[in-house]
């Protein structure tokens, strides 16, 4: 979300945004401290209050998943690319079907605190090596996504004050990052849940009100909205036809398919989303939570599509591109036109809160994996006391937050979308195959899990390193170099099948040299995954 133009907000809007943002932060921080775990129990820190209703947990899932990229970036994609932008939003909605139909119930039934507990139950032979590999993949996914949020906070600030100085960038990242650490390290899951619920309610209300204003502007006539968007796009009917961004060459079409594949499959393996799936006490609540989350995410994406088309129709595609070639300023430009500085400030503060909520969930998920899987089970071999593991979890949250801040400052100028999409690709290529095979394939072994985790991670990273994202194009990290032999910007179309293939081959090869899961062990796991237990 790098803005290459001058600030678009006036001084009043900036002050009002600051006041609103600080007000929400003070309230949520105070509440996070009040709701923080009062006992030295890891279950309370990792899972929080497990008596939540499906609606509340669904709101928390929605708040944990929807990032500022949905409010700013996705709306901008629709405003600049029309039909192709709408198809991108559609992939986000379809992704939740994967969670609901395949992952949610068996993962909740067989898990405890982290995905590592599920794998340890399923793969008792070599569980320590599998937990280690899973912790590294979880850390990679969470750090990439966390850095994307922190870089996005700088870009959002840029929309108000223009290109910030180095000191201003540092201050912005440190302030946002420190708040994230407090939410995760002190508040744990209860604190993160409250922030995510507040953010989800604000996001749903904010996009709904703005979308109503857009529809009212066109007298609730969808045909007028579409025709005005086409007329003001300077592209005519092409704006509402496929291929504007991902059309033309075969490479562009494959890139779009690869991106959608990573989004649809990656969501089911994002660590902070999986952590929320483990929080409900009963299967019924877990199922209802995912249904609510799917409906809320679908509603927000639908409203984002309306906002994108409305921005093109009211502001104009060329005007948006002139202010911000990436389109991330679309919502603020539209809100300024519709409601002046007040609406602009409301949506701007909402974007900052969105960054905080997603970043807190990511930090907590990574800290839980490092403390429970890496320290508690690999290093201490399950002998760590609860107070000891809880202290490590809080320390890990601080370390991850500091690492995120440092990487965000080093990554200034990088595309937040690229960082986020790489995180999705790693999750879909490394973690998802391990989950699917563990839940549904009797012959899956620890060696297959290791090959799937390490292979999917390395394949995703290497393909991005040798892609146009890093070199060979003016927008690349190193535009003057040219070592991009992989033509696509998202590696999912290659790395995801590679992750599944490596898990399959590793399991077949491992069957001759390591014990496979005994039939009775797998059957016991299968019963638990399908039936579960309501008290853990």
């Amino acid at each position: 979300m790098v803005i290459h133009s001058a600030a678009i907000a006036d001084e009043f809007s900036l002050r009002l945004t600051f006041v609103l943002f600080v007000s929400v932060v003070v309230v949520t921080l105070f509440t996070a401290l009040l709701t923080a775990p009062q006992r030295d129990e890891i279950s309370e820190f990792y899972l929080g209050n497990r008596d939540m209703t499906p609606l509340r947990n669904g709101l928390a899932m929605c708040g944990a998943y929807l990032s500022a990229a949905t409010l700013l970036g996705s709306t901008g994609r629709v405003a600049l690319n029309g039909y192709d932008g709408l198809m991108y939003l559609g992939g986000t909605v379809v992704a939740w079907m994967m969670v609901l139909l395949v992952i949610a119930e068996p993962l909740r039934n067989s898990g405890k605190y982290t995905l590592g507990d599920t794998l340890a139950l399923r793969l008792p032979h070599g569980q320590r090596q599998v937990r280690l590999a899973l912790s590294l993949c979880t850390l990679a996914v969470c750090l990439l996504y966390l850095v994307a949020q922190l870089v996005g906070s700088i870009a959002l600030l840029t929309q108000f004050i223009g290109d910030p100085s180095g000191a201003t960038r540092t201050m912005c990242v440190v302030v946002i990052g420190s708040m994230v650490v407090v939410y995760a390290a002190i508040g744990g899951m209860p604190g993160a849940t409250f922030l995510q619920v507040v953010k989800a309610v604000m996001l749903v209300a904010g996009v709904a009100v703005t979308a109503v204003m857009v529809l009212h502007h066109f007298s609730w006539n969808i045909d007028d909205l579409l025709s005005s968007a086409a007329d003001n796009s300077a592209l005519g009917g092409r704006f509402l036809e496929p291929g504007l961004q991902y059309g033309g060459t075969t490479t562009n079409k494959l890139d779009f398919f690869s991106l959608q594949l990573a989004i649809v499959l990656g969501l089911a393996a994002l660590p902070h989303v999986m952590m929320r799936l483990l929080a409900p006490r009963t299967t019924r609540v877990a199922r209802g939570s995912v249904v609510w989350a799917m409906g809320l995410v679908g509603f927000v994406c639908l409203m984002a599509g309306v906002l994108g088309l409305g921005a093109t129709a009211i502001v104009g595609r060329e005007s948006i591109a002139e202010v911000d070639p990436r389109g991330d300023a679309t919502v603020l430009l539209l809100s300024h036109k519709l409601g002046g500085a007040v609406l602009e400030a409301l949506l701007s503060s909402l974007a900052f809160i969105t960054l905080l909520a997603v970043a807190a969930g990511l930090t907590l998920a990574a800290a839980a994996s490092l403390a429970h899987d890496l320290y508690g089970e690999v290093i201490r071999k399950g002998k760590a006391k609860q107070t000891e593991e809880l202290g490590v979890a809080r320390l890990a949250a601080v370390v991850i937050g500091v690492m995120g801040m440092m990487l965000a400052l080093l990554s200034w100028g990088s595309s937040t979308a690229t960082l986020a999409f790489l995180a999705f690709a790693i999750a879909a290529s490394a973690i998802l195959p391990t989950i699917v095979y563990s839940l549904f394939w009797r012959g899956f072994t620890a060696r297959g899990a290791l090959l799937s985790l390490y292979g999917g991670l390395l394949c995703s990273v290497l393909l991005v390193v040798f892609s146009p994202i890093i070199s060979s194009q003016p927008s690349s990290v190193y535009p003057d170099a040219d070592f991009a032999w992989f033509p696509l910007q998202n590696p999912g179309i290659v790395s995801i099948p590679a992750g599944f293939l490596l898990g399959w081959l590793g399991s077949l090869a491992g069957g001759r040299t390591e014990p496979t899961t005994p039939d009775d062990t797998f059957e016991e796991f299968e019963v638990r995954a399908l039936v579960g237990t309501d008290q853990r």
Side-chain angles (χ1 to χ4, degrees), residues 76-281:
R77 283 175 176 264
V78 176
L80 296 180
N81 302 305
Y83 182 91
D84 284 2
L86 293 173
M87 289 299 99
Y88 168 79
L89 285 173
T92 303
V93 178
V94 172
W96 280 94
M97 295 296 294
M98 176 75 176
V99 178
L100 176 63
L101 299 177
V102 179
I103 298 299
E105 290 189 34
L107 183 62
R108 180 265 156 205
N109 291 339
S110 60
K112 189 175 182 182
Y113 301 132
T114 66
L115 176 60
D117 293 325
T118 299
L119 297 183
L121 184 66
R122 171 65 176 82
L123 304 168
H125 301 288
Q127 62 160 305
R128 293 178 62 199
Q129 292 87 345
V130 173
R131 283 186 189 264
L132 173 60
L134 178 64
S135 295
L136 294 177
C137 291
T138 299
L139 182 61
V141 172
C142 290
L143 264 182
L144 283 169
Y145 215 170
L146 176 60
V147 170
Q149 305 307 309
L150 294 177
V151 172
S153 69
I154 307 175
L156 188 58
L157 181 66
T158 302
Q159 297 175 1
F160 291 98
I161 66 173
D163 191 18
S165 63
T168 303
R169 290 199 299 268
T170 302
M171 182 182 69
C172 179
V173 168
V174 169
V175 169
I176 298 293
S178 299
M179 292 178 186
V180 169
V181 168
V182 171
Y183 284 116
I186 298 179
M189 180 63 87
T193 297
F194 181 80
L195 176 62
Q196 289 160 355
V197 170
V198 170
K199 167 267 184 89
V201 172
M202 292 177 61
L203 181 61
V204 171
V207 297
V209 169
T210 311
V212 166
M213 296 177 70
V214 170
L215 294 173
H216 179 72
H217 183 84
F218 292 96
S219 302
W220 297 87
N221 191 320
I222 302 297
D223 288 339
D224 285 350
L225 171 61
L226 294 174
S227 60
S228 297
D231 293 340
N232 286 343
S233 67
L235 297 170
R238 287 187 56 216
F239 182 74
L240 301 177
E241 296 175 357
L244 190 58
Q245 180 181 7
Y246 295 107
T249 66
T250 303
T251 299
N252 286 342
K253 295 176 182 178
L254 287 175
D255 221 342
F256 178 69
F257 178 74
S258 183
L259 172 62
Q260 292 290 63
L261 194 64
I263 292 174
V264 171
L265 299 181
L267 169 62
L270 289 178
H272 62 303
V273 174
M274 288 192 297
M275 196 170 185
R276 291 238 59 98
L277 292 175
L278 297 173
R281 189 178 299 277

